[in-house]
Amino acid sequence: MPPSEKPAKQQPKNVLWIMCDQLRYDYLGCTGHPVLKTPNIDAMAKRGVLFSNAYVQSPICGPSRMSFYTGRYMRSHGSHWNGWPLRIGEPTLGDHLKKIGVRNVLVGKTHMAPDLEGLKNLGIAPDSIIGVHVSECGFEPYERDDGLHPTGRPRPAYDEYLRQQGYNADNPWEHWANSGADADGSLQNGWLLVHADKAARVPEEHSETPYMTRRAMDFIAEAEDDGRPWCLHLSYIKPHWPYIAPEPYASMYATSDVQPAIRSDIERDNAHPVFAAYMNMRYSKNMSRDEAREKVIPTYMGLIKQIDDQMGVLMQFLDVRGLLDSTMIVFTSDHGDYLGDHWMGEKDLFHEQSAKIPLIVIDPSAAADGTRGTVCDALVEGIDLAPTFIDYFGSKPPDHILEGRSLLPLLHAHKPADWRKVVFSEYDYAMQDVRLMLGQPIERCRLFMVYDGRWKFIHASGFRPMLYDLDSDPEEFCDRGADPSCADVVARLQAELLDWALHPKGHITTPNEKIANYANQQLQVKNGVLIGIWDETELGAIREKIGIKP
């Protein structure tokens, strides 16, 4: 056959999993923001499915990401706070993909901390092949950068990149990329909210977001020579604080573009003790000030616009290389940002601004053609992505380990009849000043959210529950947890929580098929363990029933 007539080489399937840090679900054009235009992300939604009811398993970076990376709830993987290691032996997406020959690669942030004590106990060097695999949460770290690099912390590769461009300092990340300059050229600390309206000192092309895009494209180009399928987790650092953007994004939006705060005095009247404590946190009191919102939010919007522009760069790169037809693309966030709504800063609790995330999934297969450009309102959890990726690569997700569910049926317009009726999220405030304000013992600083698409129930250990009716109160102003007329709703969702809490997937070393076969095929008797049998006649009848010849 002449070379020109050879069939085109089929591209292996790949996954590009894009995660932003602290991106609210409603700060995109396709999710309804009235001012912020995100045409490239909107175009991605038109090529795939936009999930309108996607929730994280914990509204804070580390535990949320560990749930994404394991496909398991926080109660199962045990990493309750930023910097808490994922224990040695906890199965990750990387472990599952490795078994089927797929590289699991990282560019950007994970918030993973190694279980050094566990490695030491097993005699595994952290810098060994196995040590790196478990220390990096199952990722091959092409370039890891957790985004926050104050002086005295380990330095990122990005520091050296800035120095190569001529931006020298003891801490180039902070001095150039995350600090501004006053009119007289004096340095303005980008950590401080008062300086959020200053432009970052680094030129846009050398700032963190385009840098990470280029590093992702570097990997993709190199991976073509390798030939193995890959799952690339491109995990952007922004729009997470420090809230500071380079030009032109620093001045792209004005205070007139800031939407009114979603909050009410009703929320502060007789507030639930936990909610009241969080409203009293320093970042909440500052972000509740109009002055702070007017400085921070235009910059937050500019950082998102920069990400959207980089999505255009990245999608064009994939198109030129012929990868769009073989690559599943996911765009999401690890949690939201209150931005002064509900009198809150940061994230932490379970209002929509914090626990709900944008989620766009583009399945390039023909089976997904019927759902392109649609919005799916099924209740979806962050832990659903791990089984989705395994399913997309043609393997069976290990149901005895993964607590999420593959989204492929939803992408292919075949919603299962038994799709979940509620979603769960968890939070542990033991590391926060809130524990001291409330006088709670460490082991009881737990919050659990159950949401059924209308009612949002929050169990707070040691306190009454919180309850919101998003049908009649979509802005979540009125806490009805103590309302006698809602007692039946509270009881129903408490029962959902109890059932969930009592049935974690803990059989991680023993597949369900093996468990089922033990009883179904009477393996105990077949293996010669004869318990409680009276005599030879009874034994003979049992053997005959299960097909064992005398």
Side-chain angles (χ1 to χ4, degrees), residues 406-417:
S406 172
L407 299 176
L408 284 194
L410 301 179
L411 296 170
H412 299 168
H414 300 302
K415 183 178 179 180

Side-chain angles (χ1 to χ4, degrees), residues 80-294:
H80 288 201
W81 194 256
N82 296 340
W84 286 27
L86 199 66
R87 58 180 169 248
I88 292 292
E90 183 66 27
T92 66
L93 173 64
D95 295 316
H96 304 308
L97 294 182
K98 184 177 180 181
K99 291 177 182 177
I100 58 176
V102 177
R103 299 174 70 185
N104 191 45
V105 181
L106 169 69
V107 171
K109 180 176 184 176
T110 63
H111 243 303
M112 174 66 182
D115 181 5
L116 295 176
E117 187 67 23
L119 288 169
K120 180 180 178 181
N121 289 341
L122 294 173
I124 299 172
D127 59 353
S128 65
I129 293 175
I130 295 175
V132 170
H133 178 79
V134 298
S135 297
E136 297 292 348
C137 207
F139 288 105
E140 177 187 330
Y142 188 82
E143 179 153 345
R144 178 175 171 180
D145 189 325
D146 274 357
L148 299 176
H149 307 287
T151 300
R153 299 274 288 273
R155 306 314 306 160
Y158 180 61
D159 267 11
E160 184 56 32
Y161 169 80
L162 288 176
R163 291 192 180 99
Q164 290 171 0
Q165 312 309 313
Y167 302 107
N168 292 306
D170 290 339
N171 185 338
W173 171 85
E174 186 170 287
H175 191 85
W176 292 99
N178 286 282
S179 287
D182 210 347
D184 62 1
S186 61
L187 201 67
Q188 302 294 314
N189 189 338
W191 289 97
L192 306 181
L193 301 180
V194 70
H195 298 311
D197 58 346
K198 309 292 194 305
R201 300 179 71 228
V202 71
E204 193 274 335
E205 65 268 25
H206 300 311
S207 62
E208 292 161 290
T209 295
Y211 171 78
M212 285 301 171
T213 302
R214 291 193 296 271
R215 294 300 288 145
M217 294 190 298
D218 289 344
F219 165 75
I220 293 169
E222 292 174 21
E224 287 186 332
D225 294 332
D226 180 89
R228 285 176 291 169
W230 44 261
C231 174
L232 172 60
H233 183 37
L234 171 54
S235 186
Y236 286 108
I237 294 160
K238 298 297 184 180
H240 189 284
W241 43 263
Y243 299 111
I244 189 164
E247 291 292 10
Y249 302 100
S251 56
M252 194 170 285
Y253 298 96
T255 56
S256 58
D257 297 317
V258 176
Q259 301 303 298
I262 300 171
R263 63 192 183 200
S264 169
D265 288 334
I266 294 172
E267 297 178 278
R268 297 195 290 188
D269 297 337
N270 300 312
H272 187 283
V274 176
F275 187 15
Y278 269 100
M279 286 190 280
N280 196 42
M281 292 288 280
R282 177 182 63 242
Y283 49 72
S284 293
K285 289 190 288 187
N286 277 329
M287 278 306 301
S288 293
R289 297 165 54 206
D290 289 341
E291 179 188 11
R293 297 183 74 251
E294 289 169 359

